[in-house]
Amino acid sequence: NAGVTQTPKFQVLKTGQSMTLQCAQDMNHEYMSWYRQDPGMGLRLIHYSVGAGITDQGEVPNGYNVSRSTTEDFPLRLLSAAPSQTSVYFCASNRHTANTGELFFGEGSRLTVL
Amino acid sequence: SQKIEQNSEALNIQEGKTATLTCNYTNYSPAYLQWYRQDPGRGPVFLLLIRENEKEKRKERLKVTFDTTLKQSLFHITASQPADSATYLCALASSGGYQKVTFGTGTKLQVIP
C-alpha cells in the first residue's frame, strides 16, 4: 500500500497564481483532511471531509477550496496565492468517519509564494 | 480560547535515560489524546492514543499518562536511543467534534550518545 500520497513535494508560486495540491489515499478511508504547518504554530486544520461529496471547514479555511468527488482523492486548491500561504501542507486520512483513532499523514507539500 | 501547550524548547537527554515530554491543554473537553512523532521533512507518524477514561497506556518503550483534572498528558520514552531523536506532537480531539483534531507545536527531543 502506498498510504497517503501528496503531489507536488515542492512548489514555488507567484502572488496571485492558482494551483492545486493533490492528495490520494489507497486505504479506502472515509475521513480526509488538510493541515498546514508553520514554525511555532504547529499543525492547523484547513478543511476536512467525512466522505465523498461532504466537506467542512477547519480552523484556517480562508483562501483554500476543497472538493471530494471520490473516496480516494481530496485536492486542495489555492485560487489566488498569497505570501501568507507559504507553508508546508499535509494531507491526512482516518479509516473512521468519526475520526476516532490514528491519522495517516502524507509526506507533505512545501509551498513558497513569492 | 482553546490552547495546547508543549515545551517549545528542545529536550536533550543522555542515551539510556528516560525522556519525559509534557502536553498541557486549556478549555478542552478531550475525548482522546494522541502522540505523534515527526522527523525533519516527513509527515507525522502516529504513536499512541489514550482516551479520557484511561489513566495510562503503554507500547514497548513508550508510556503515556492522561490526567483530565490537571489537564495534562505526559509522554515517556524509557531507555532512550539516538534513533528516538525527533519532534513529538501532542494532539487532542474534543468530545464535541472528533473530526477537528488539534495539534500542539511539538517538542524536539535530542538523545545524545
Side-chain angles (χ1 to χ4, degrees):
Chain A
N1 280 350
V4 178
T5 303
Q6 291 184 232
T7 55
K9 286 186 168 32
F10 300 94
Q11 184 72 50
V12 179
L13 289 178
K14 294 182 179 176
T15 297
Q17 287 184 318
S18 63
M19 80 155 299
T20 299
L21 299 178
Q22 302 290 346
C23 176
Q25 51 90 11
D26 61 0
M27 298 173 283
N28 203 32
H29 286 178
E30 290 294 332
Y31 177 93
M32 296 184 74
S33 56
W34 276 101
Y35 285 86
R36 60 178 288 175
Q37 188 173 38
D38 303 290
M41 300 290 288
L43 285 156
R44 290 183 292 169
L45 182 64
I46 304 171
H47 285 286
Y48 65 93
S49 169
V50 297
I54 306 169
T55 64
D56 206 343
Q57 296 181 348
E59 180 187 355
V60 288
N62 291 343
Y64 307 96
N65 281 353
V66 292
S67 60
R68 185 95 179 270
S69 56
T70 66
T71 299
E72 295 78 20
D73 300 299
F74 191 43
L76 179 72
R77 279 183 287 277
L78 286 72
L79 296 178
S80 179
S84 60
Q85 293 178 305
T86 293
S87 188
V88 181
Y89 292 85
F90 289 99
C91 179
S93 71
N94 185 312
R95 63 189 175 115
H96 297 295
T97 302
N99 195 28
T100 52
E102 70 176 281
L103 285 166
F104 292 82
F105 282 86
E107 292 296 340
S109 296
R110 184 176 295 273
L111 175 66
T112 301
V113 183
L114 303 175
Chain B
S1 62
Q2 295 178 325
K3 205 171 181 181
I4 301 173
E5 289 185 335
Q6 294 185 257
N7 193 343
S8 58
E9 292 184 14
L11 177 64
N12 296 322
I13 65 163
Q14 208 70 34
E15 181 177 5
K17 300 292 186 184
T18 296
T20 298
L21 284 67
T22 304
C23 175
N24 294 301
Y25 60 90
T26 54
N27 296 323
Y28 271 104
S29 296
Y32 61 82
L33 185 147
Q34 299 174 321
W35 285 89
Y36 288 78
R37 170 185 172 139
Q38 187 174 23
D39 292 289
R42 307 295 298 274
V45 174
F46 172 81
L47 296 174
L48 278 168
L49 179 152
I50 186 165
R51 301 189 185 280
E52 60 178 333
N53 59 350
E54 297 175 316
K55 296 291 185 189
E56 182 179 299
K57 209 75 169 286
R58 292 176 185 259
K59 179 183 175 183
E60 297 172 353
R61 293 184 297 111
L62 309 180
K63 184 178 87 170
V64 172
T65 62
F66 195 12
D67 189 327
T68 54
T69 302
L70 289 179
K71 298 187 186 298
Q72 181 181 79
S73 174
L74 299 178
F75 176 77
H76 307 272
I77 306 175
T78 58
S80 59
Q81 305 165 0
D84 295 325
S85 298
T87 296
Y88 291 86
L89 308 173
C90 146
L92 288 179
S94 290
S95 55
Y98 297 167
Q99 289 85 357
K100 295 184 180 182
V101 175
T102 305
F103 283 80
T105 54
T107 298
K108 186 174 181 179
L109 173 67
Q110 186 78 29
V111 181
I112 303 163

